[in-house]
Amino acid sequence: MTATRSSAGIPVAVLLCVLAPAASVARAGEPLPSWNDVKARHAIVHFVERVTRPGADFVPEPQRIAVFDNDGTLWAEQPMYVQLLFAVDRVKALAPQHPEWKTTEPYASLLAGDLKRAMSSGDEAMFDVMLTTHSGMTTEEYEKTAREWLATAKHPKTGRLYTQMVYQPMLELLAYLRANGFKTFIVSGGGVDFLRVFAEQVYGIPPEQVIGSSGKVGFELRGDKPVLVKLPEVQFIDDKAGKPVGIYQHIGRRPIAAFGNSDGDQQMLEWTCDGFASHLCVYIHHTDAAREWAYDRQSSIGRLDKGLDEAARDGWTVVDMKSDWKAVFPAAK
Amino acid sequence: MTATRSSAGIPVAVLLCVLAPAASVARAGEPLPSWNDVKARHAIVHFVERVTRPGADFVPEPQRIAVFDNDGTLWAEQPMYVQLLFAVDRVKALAPQHPEWKTTEPYASLLAGDLKRAMSSGDEAMFDVMLTTHSGMTTEEYEKTAREWLATAKHPKTGRLYTQMVYQPMLELLAYLRANGFKTFIVSGGGVDFLRVFAEQVYGIPPEQVIGSSGKVGFELRGDKPVLVKLPEVQFIDDKAGKPVGIYQHIGRRPIAAFGNSDGDQQMLEWTCDGFASHLCVYIHHTDAAREWAYDRQSSIGRLDKGLDEAARDGWTVVDMKSDWKAVFPAAK
């Protein structure tokens, strides 16, 4: 038997033992440095201390499951969900093979660059755009296309890559939880295949810890070669009541911490905070029009209305982005 | 910030660093002690050494995904799948609430103790028994029922608990792979909820690393209390071509090692061994009528026919239980 070794030939277990204490000390100096030292940060740190210290609230490591919505919770969702902007670019790229789109809504409006008018065709029509642009290729072809798009497409307002539109305080929170024995999961209404293209690199969350909406997939042999093909049929919608269902189907146990930003996360928070004696439910409230966007009860994207009422009623933590966060996005490179 | 601590108050990171080298040395003395030192063991050890050592075949830890079928691969599946025996006992327990079962097949035969006759009603009828006995309760009620059954029900031939009908050499293999940085997953045609009740305790595989067939689940509020209810509808069948699909949907990347024992695992092995340059595909061949059961091409349970041909053609490893394993089951307690 060979011990696992790093590329330098040093056993990885030894490297970890050498590096871990140093890293812990560095982190212990200032966890969550982009969080102002006020109420929301206190609630998070207090919760983590309670479940990791011996005592009545202690939770064994395997049960320290933390779940995060993605759009509006880990990265920006304004002026439009990133994956929908990807779909729009796919429509443009695929248009030459679909001459009928020139006269079919919502495709015609999308090709004309009028996203607003396209969306007035209704949710079902836009859903059809998502299915159409996310099927008809192998899973490997899809991954390559999404990876290339994310490496080059820029946010219309900031000019940043979308993967730089992530929230710095949430990156710190993910790292802080993992340093305290939590396993972190994404639970998104977005497509699981799209999320998995960047989640490991950007959030440190491996593909097997990403839960999302999905289409059906078929297995076929092309000659001797087995391939998986993305089909234009819905497998699962991971939103609203679908979120606790998706968590149960994928993780098989109830989280002890849940983070969201919209009414689409409400059931996930309800289910999480009805479980263990120690639990943490957090809403990220978009209150910062200067550094990000300010929206809640009236927004068509990421509406937070009923959830805000329930948070007040049930004592969930509400993060006020404007006053709780020292920085919103990572410093530009 | 508090460092993660064990219940004795010693930081877990420190404990790990103290314990890890000792454990590694102990393991390094004799990995896979229940495996005879012949061809199959050589293939496994050689593969693990290649992917963990620096060199052309090195595979980074996050990509060291190993997938295992359960019935017939990790535990015995004769004379009948364990979960089906659980379902039969559920039919008996639920019979008072279903007087109509006395005159309806296959329920009438099951209640009369004639499993063979019940099964002659066909796959669809037995499938209906599985759906009926695995729905109509909350997920927590189901878990409790399955847990209690597994704690007491005995194997009809050996009188052992079913959780003692696991294969000792496979327990060692799971531990050996994990000690070398692999993440181990179950990928079973059986019900994911049933598997998750015992997989962590018996195999060291947490619920989030169990993939299986599943029924639909509904979220509802009972008063203020959110519950998940098991519905009598199929969500996903994780068998044959469903196995690579299930792996893709759940893990999101291709395994580098796959272990099965029947034609139901063939596509999972095909997909695994068409991926990375370094890969390992293994069939467990039931050849030991004295210590377990001997069956393959003609068996209605765990048929291994086409898969055996493909294994020979593609150079997959075939474990001959009779000659490769020093012991089959763990020593009786």
Side-chain angles (χ1 to χ4, degrees):
Chain A
M1 175 184 157
T2 325
T4 303
R5 284 170 187 280
S6 70
S7 56
I10 303 163
V12 168
V14 172
L15 264 185
L16 285 174
C17 289
V18 171
L19 295 176
S24 301
V25 170
R27 278 204 202 94
E30 191 192 8
L32 308 176
S34 300
W35 291 71
N36 282 313
D37 195 17
V38 290
K39 199 175 160 194
R41 186 181 181 285
H42 291 179
I44 292 167
V45 172
H46 181 60
F47 163 74
V48 170
E49 288 181 352
R50 277 191 296 136
V51 300
T52 55
R53 270 185 197 155
D57 291 334
F58 178 81
V59 177
E61 281 205 27
Q63 290 167 32
R64 291 185 207 153
I65 303 287
V67 291
F68 291 81
D69 169 58
N70 183 53
D71 293 314
T73 299
L74 295 178
W75 77 357
E77 62 185 349
Q78 297 284 1
M80 184 49 61
Y81 300 119
V82 177
Q83 193 181 355
L84 186 54
L85 297 173
F86 166 69
V88 170
D89 281 353
R90 290 310 300 155
V91 166
K92 290 174 186 166
L94 296 168
Q97 297 145 251
H98 293 272
E100 75 281 10
W101 285 353
K102 279 184 201 156
T103 53
T104 319
E105 287 299 343
Y107 295 92
S109 294
L110 290 176
L111 291 173
D114 191 343
L115 181 56
K116 201 169 174 181
R117 184 168 165 183
M119 292 185 75
S120 71
S121 302
D123 287 351
E124 205 166 316
M126 292 308 290
F127 197 75
D128 184 68
V129 171
M130 296 303 286
L131 275 181
T132 302
T133 53
H134 284 69
S135 63
M137 72 286 280
T138 68
T139 54
E140 289 177 352
E141 287 161 356
Y142 174 81
E143 186 190 323
K144 184 170 178 286
T145 305
R147 191 177 298 282
E148 286 171 357
W149 185 82
L150 281 164
T152 53
K154 300 282 174 68
H155 188 277
K157 185 181 161 194
T158 66
R160 284 180 165 221
L161 293 175
Y162 291 103
T163 51
Q164 294 170 342
M165 295 294 294
V166 295
Y167 303 134
Q168 176 63 25
M170 297 306 283
L171 298 181
E172 295 167 8
L173 178 56
L174 288 167
Y176 172 62
L177 290 173
R178 290 194 291 255
N180 281 281
F182 281 77
K183 208 164 183 176
T184 53
F185 287 81
I186 290 174
V187 180
S188 170
V192 66
D193 297 351
F194 187 74
L195 289 153
R196 284 172 172 166
V197 170
F198 64 93
E200 189 159 40
Q201 186 198 336
V202 174
Y203 302 130
I205 296 180
E208 63 268 25
Q209 286 164 226
V210 179
I211 305 168
S213 297
S214 56
K216 291 193 178 173
V217 166
F219 174 89
E220 35 179 275
L221 287 174
R222 291 187 176 172
D224 272 353
K225 194 164 181 59
V227 294
L228 297 175
V229 179
K230 285 173 70 65
L231 307 173
E233 289 171 66
V234 174
Q235 169 79 20
F236 184 70
I237 300 294
D238 190 54
D239 197 27
K240 300 187 176 71
K243 288 205 173 191
V245 170
I247 292 169
Y248 173 76
Q249 301 273 26
H250 189 106
I251 307 180
R253 52 184 152 203
R254 207 189 287 238
I256 63 170
F259 302 82
N261 78 299
S262 81
D263 285 353
D265 303 310
Q266 196 178 352
Q267 289 88 346
M268 173 170 82
L269 270 61
E270 285 172 351
W271 192 58
T272 299
C273 277
D274 188 65
F276 285 76
S278 302
H279 50 245
L280 179 69
C281 282
V282 179
Y283 261 133
I284 308 299
H285 191 189
H286 292 265
T287 52
D288 195 332
R291 296 186 300 176
E292 206 240 3
W293 285 268
Y295 59 99
D296 48 30
R297 294 183 190 273
Q298 306 300 324
S299 179
S300 61
I301 304 278
R303 176 173 301 176
L304 178 60
D305 182 30
K306 292 180 190 169
L308 211 48
D309 296 336
E310 185 162 0
R313 204 166 54 237
D314 291 358
W316 297 346
T317 296
V318 177
V319 172
D320 181 329
M321 284 177 74
K322 193 171 177 178
S323 60
D324 277 313
W325 288 359
K326 290 181 192 167
V328 174
F329 300 114
K333 284 174 189 170
Chain B
M1 174 184 158
T2 326
T4 303
R5 282 170 190 280
S6 70
S7 55
I10 303 163
V12 168
V14 171
L15 265 185
L16 286 175
C17 289
V18 171
L19 296 176
S24 300
V25 170
R27 279 206 201 91
E30 192 192 8
L32 308 178
S34 300
W35 291 72
N36 283 312
D37 196 18
V38 290
K39 200 173 161 195
R41 186 180 181 285
H42 291 179
I44 292 166
V45 172
H46 181 59
F47 163 74
V48 170
E49 287 181 353
R50 276 190 297 136
V51 299
T52 54
R53 268 184 198 156
D57 291 334
F58 178 81
V59 177
E61 281 205 26
Q63 290 167 32
R64 291 185 207 153
I65 304 287
V67 290
F68 291 81
D69 170 57
N70 183 53
D71 293 314
T73 299
L74 294 178
W75 77 358
E77 63 185 347
Q78 296 286 1
M80 184 50 61
Y81 300 119
V82 177
Q83 192 181 356
L84 187 54
L85 297 173
F86 167 68
V88 171
D89 282 354
R90 291 309 300 154
V91 167
K92 290 174 185 165
L94 296 168
Q97 296 146 251
H98 293 274
E100 75 280 9
W101 285 354
K102 279 183 201 157
T103 52
T104 319
E105 287 299 344
Y107 295 92
S109 294
L110 290 176
L111 291 172
D114 192 343
L115 181 56
K116 201 168 175 182
R117 184 170 164 181
M119 293 185 74
S120 71
S121 301
D123 286 351
E124 207 166 313
M126 292 310 291
F127 198 74
D128 184 68
V129 171
M130 296 302 286
L131 274 181
T132 301
T133 53
H134 284 69
S135 64
M137 72 286 280
T138 68
T139 54
E140 289 178 352
E141 288 161 354
Y142 173 81
E143 187 189 322
K144 184 169 176 288
T145 305
R147 192 178 296 283
E148 286 171 358
W149 186 83
L150 282 164
T152 53
K154 301 282 174 66
H155 189 277
K157 185 181 160 192
T158 65
R160 286 180 163 221
L161 293 174
Y162 291 105
T163 51
Q164 295 170 342
M165 295 292 295
V166 296
Y167 302 134
Q168 175 63 25
M170 298 305 284
L171 298 180
E172 295 167 8
L173 178 57
L174 288 167
Y176 172 62
L177 290 172
R178 290 194 291 256
N180 281 280
F182 281 77
K183 209 164 183 176
T184 52
F185 288 81
I186 290 174
V187 180
S188 170
V192 67
D193 297 353
F194 187 75
L195 288 154
R196 283 171 172 166
V197 170
F198 64 93
E200 189 160 39
Q201 186 199 336
V202 174
Y203 303 129
I205 297 181
E208 64 267 25
Q209 286 164 225
V210 179
I211 305 167
S213 297
S214 57
K216 291 193 176 172
V217 166
F219 173 89
E220 34 179 275
L221 286 174
R222 292 186 175 172
D224 272 354
K225 193 164 182 58
V227 293
L228 297 176
V229 179
K230 286 173 69 67
L231 307 173
E233 289 172 67
V234 173
Q235 170 78 19
F236 185 70
I237 300 294
D238 190 53
D239 196 28
K240 299 188 176 73
K243 288 206 172 191
V245 169
I247 293 169
Y248 175 76
Q249 301 273 27
H250 190 107
I251 309 180
R253 52 184 151 202
R254 205 190 289 236
I256 64 169
F259 301 82
N261 78 299
S262 80
D263 285 354
D265 303 310
Q266 195 178 355
Q267 289 87 348
M268 173 170 83
L269 270 60
E270 285 171 351
W271 192 57
T272 299
C273 276
D274 188 65
F276 285 74
S278 301
H279 51 245
L280 178 69
C281 282
V282 178
Y283 261 133
I284 308 298
H285 190 190
H286 293 264
T287 51
D288 195 331
R291 295 185 302 176
E292 206 238 5
W293 285 268
Y295 58 99
D296 49 29
R297 295 184 189 272
Q298 305 300 324
S299 178
S300 61
I301 304 278
R303 177 173 301 177
L304 179 60
D305 181 31
K306 290 182 192 168
L308 210 48
D309 296 336
E310 185 161 359
R313 203 165 56 236
D314 291 0
W316 296 347
T317 295
V318 177
V319 172
D320 181 328
M321 285 177 74
K322 192 170 179 179
S323 60
D324 277 313
W325 288 1
K326 291 181 192 167
V328 174
F329 300 114
K333 283 175 190 169

